[in-house]
Amino acid sequence: GSGKTTLLRTLCGFLIPDGGEVRLGSQIVSEPRLDTIGLVLNEDRSFYLRLNGRRNLLFFGRIVTGTPFARLSRCEQDQRADSVLREVGLEAQASRTVFTYSSGERQRLGLARALLHDPAILLLDEPARNLDVEARAWLGRFIGASREGGKAVLVTSHHLDDLAAWCDRILIMKSGTIIHEMARPNASKGASHLQDERAASGRGHPG
């Protein structure tokens, strides 16, 4: 691939770059920063399928020490888990085993897990993959609400229509290198303008 997922893992602190450094403010990121950065990878098998959605959130939230969520009391953790489930529209599905979840519901659960610590930054790796039209529309609203709430959101995607709707800046990557950058197109140009720019830049993958 073009290196999009590797980039997100590096920005989050799960991978150490071969060269250069990642900075969060004035600090170099050299270890996972789950207190500040929420990472959502498109991996269906990243949950315990025989546990329900709420228990998955509590398990993953409690095994990471030193985060705002881990410092809460058990009662407050339960309340926080229920709060993020409501935020992503999974309140009614919280007691169902993840095995029964659709791809869209698992994607929402991944977002809920990333939100547990109320991070300032969200990194979303191809969040619209395998989503139907309704779920994709919900995702766009979620990203917009997160931005309006003060979070920085970085999205990787192959879908230029989505990027045109969601993003202020779009970077084109090829073989791990950013080869082109563009501002969000206006409504009259839309994704067709991005397609033209992408073709002119050498057909890299947008992110």
Side-chain angles (χ1 to χ4, degrees):
S2 61
K4 300 187 301 300
T5 301
T6 299
L7 173 63
L8 294 193
R9 290 181 181 273
T10 302
L11 293 177
C12 195
F14 286 112
L15 296 176
I16 303 300
D18 294 328
E21 59 190 22
V22 176
R23 286 186 175 269
L24 185 60
S26 61
Q27 297 180 334
I28 297 175
V29 177
S30 58
E31 60 184 16
R33 291 293 305 273
L34 298 182
D35 57 332
T36 305
I37 303 173
L39 175 64
V40 182
L41 299 176
N42 202 311
E43 297 175 348
D44 279 350
R45 290 176 289 183
S46 65
F47 292 103
Y48 288 98
L49 300 184
R50 296 184 183 277
L51 296 181
N52 65 34
R54 182 183 290 107
R55 287 186 178 276
N56 264 282
L57 290 188
L58 292 172
F59 172 79
F60 285 106
R62 288 167 178 167
I63 62 173
V64 182
T65 60
T67 65
F69 183 84
R71 291 192 287 269
L72 297 174
S73 69
R74 287 298 178 104
C75 180
E76 289 171 329
Q77 289 176 348
D78 290 342
Q79 293 172 352
R80 177 62 182 163
D82 288 338
S83 175
V84 295
L85 285 166
R86 284 194 300 272
E87 186 173 349
V88 302
L90 281 182
E91 185 177 17
Q93 293 85 357
S95 298
R96 281 173 35 205
T97 59
V98 174
F99 180 78
T100 68
Y101 279 24
S102 66
S103 294
E105 289 170 339
R106 294 185 189 187
Q107 183 69 3
R108 293 190 189 209
L109 189 61
L111 291 168
R113 180 170 58 186
L115 292 171
L116 276 177
H117 312 298
D118 193 22
I121 302 169
L122 283 176
L123 307 180
L124 311 182
D125 186 28
E126 300 208 36
R129 188 173 64 181
N130 299 326
L131 297 186
D132 59 23
V133 173
E134 182 178 353
R136 191 183 294 267
W138 175 87
L139 179 63
R141 294 192 296 271
F142 170 83
I143 292 173
S146 296
R147 292 171 55 200
E148 291 175 4
K151 296 186 186 300
V153 185
L154 177 60
V155 181
T156 69
S157 178
H158 292 278
H159 299 283
L160 291 173
D161 285 335
D162 292 337
L163 295 176
W166 300 341
C167 302
D168 295 317
R169 296 170 58 211
I170 298 171
L171 307 176
I172 304 295
M173 290 186 65
K174 186 175 183 179
S175 301
T177 301
I178 295 173
I179 61 173
H180 192 61
E181 178 179 352
M182 65 190 84
R184 180 179 182 177
N186 60 41
S188 64
K189 294 181 179 180
S192 61
H193 177 63
L194 293 183
Q195 292 280 10
D196 293 340
E197 290 206 35
R198 179 183 174 188
S201 65
R203 302 295 296 178
H205 294 294

